[in-house]
Amino acid sequence: MSLDNDQKKKLYRLLYLGRRFEERLGELFTSNEVEGWVHLGIGQEGTGAALSLCYEEGDYLVPYHRSRISMLGKGLEPKSLLAEIMGKKTGCCNGVGGEAHIMDVKSGIYGTGGIIAGNIPIAVGLAYASKLEGENRVVVCGFGDGGSNRGAFHESLNMAAIYELPIVFICENNQFAEFTATKDTMKIENIADRSAAYGMPGVIIDGSDPETCVGVIQKAMDDARNGKGPTLIESKTFRVHGHYEGDPMRYVDGEETKKWLEKDPFITYRKQLLDGTFAAEDELAAIEEEVEKDLEEAVQFALESERPTAEEVVENIYA
């Protein structure tokens, strides 16, 4: 799929925003401004950035905890997302969701959760509703490699295939499920190969190549929208930081990390734009400056926002 210059720059902006959002979040965590855990997605921004170019109005995103760039690309404002992670009532879930439970109806984002693969059946439910109501909305469901080993994954793909639902499953295989290498948790090499058991297409993409990701994701979404049913996409990527911030990562091979760092989607795409004369250094610098300004406003907004009161925390608990 060939992208025009505006699309390329939008893609770069999302890559830069995703990278810097995660870095700023890490800094806030280190300075004790974020309570609980933080699970950064630095190094695997290519897939979420590519996805942002493929939506049509009304489409849904059901992301997982490490795919914040997907949420930003779907339209969730950085200040709303950051305030939520920091437990402030100006956040998209009034500060009671935190990092792992993000939902924003306005952006069409329905629910990460604390249960690995727990979001996949939710996505299938949305796709089933979309088909029954003839809405022609496509659902994108994101999850990690660990999620593909859960029963919810297999049951959901089976149902989606049987009913030919308008859904695209995107597995970001960052090579580790918590502290265990993917190769030690499955007897097959590719998660995408599991699609054959359910009679749906399975495609592997290089998460370090965002433009190629756009083409593959766009085709899968077009197929879903045109009644051809679901697709399972496996994006091969890499989690540069640990499972959680502060993880000593003793289980990671330094040589493997070095290999993936050379394929960093943000750095390589920036170089690609400059080498291909699609953008000049000052154009990219202007994009970066704009993002930095937006992020600084988001950080200040979150820091200055209030936490919910004890009464507000339990407002929407019904049992």
Side-chain angles (χ1 to χ4, degrees), residues 255-281:
E255 287 302 311
E256 184 180 18
T257 301
K258 182 180 177 182
K259 178 189 74 173
W260 281 96
L261 284 173
E262 291 172 355
K263 296 176 60 178
D264 183 309
F266 165 62
I267 294 173
T268 56
Y269 194 61
R270 192 181 199 283
K271 185 175 186 300
Q272 180 182 327
L273 290 180
L274 293 173
D275 290 350
T277 68
F278 291 108
E281 181 69 48

Side-chain angles (χ1 to χ4, degrees), residues 1-3 7-8 53-54 211-216 218-219:
M1 181 177 180
S2 179
L3 304 184
Q7 289 174 310
K8 289 175 184 287
L53 270 64
C54 303
E211 283 200 20
T212 299
C213 291
V214 172
V216 174
Q218 186 66 70
K219 182 184 183 305

Side-chain angles (χ1 to χ4, degrees), residues 18 35-37 54 91 101 119 162 166 190 198 202 204 210-211 216 229 248 250 270 276 279 289-290 293-294 302:
E35 296 185 15
W37 299 105
C54 303
H101 305 84
N119 64 321
I162 290 169
N190 302 310
Y198 307 107
I204 297 170
E211 283 200 20
V216 174
R250 296 189 183 94
R270 192 181 199 283
E289 184 178 349
E290 178 190 350
K293 181 174 178 291
D294 290 346

Side-chain angles (χ1 to χ4, degrees), residues 189-200:
E189 183 178 353
N190 302 310
I191 291 165
D193 293 344
R194 289 177 162 170
S195 67
Y198 307 107
M200 72 173 69

Side-chain angles (χ1 to χ4, degrees), residues 205-230:
I205 55 177
D206 180 357
S208 302
D209 183 355
E211 283 200 20
T212 299
C213 291
V214 172
V216 174
I217 294 170
Q218 186 66 70
K219 182 184 183 305
M221 292 186 72
D222 289 345
D223 285 349
R225 203 179 308 280
N226 294 322
K228 295 181 180 179

Side-chain angles (χ1 to χ4, degrees), residues 124 127-128 131-132 153-167 169 195-201 227-231:
V124 170
Y128 190 48
K131 181 163 185 173
L132 287 177
F153 166 86
H154 298 279
E155 294 175 31
S156 296
L157 264 69
N158 189 54
M159 181 175 176
I162 290 169
Y163 292 105
E164 297 182 327
L165 299 183
I167 184 168
F169 300 100
S195 67
Y198 307 107
M200 72 173 69
K228 295 181 180 179
T231 299

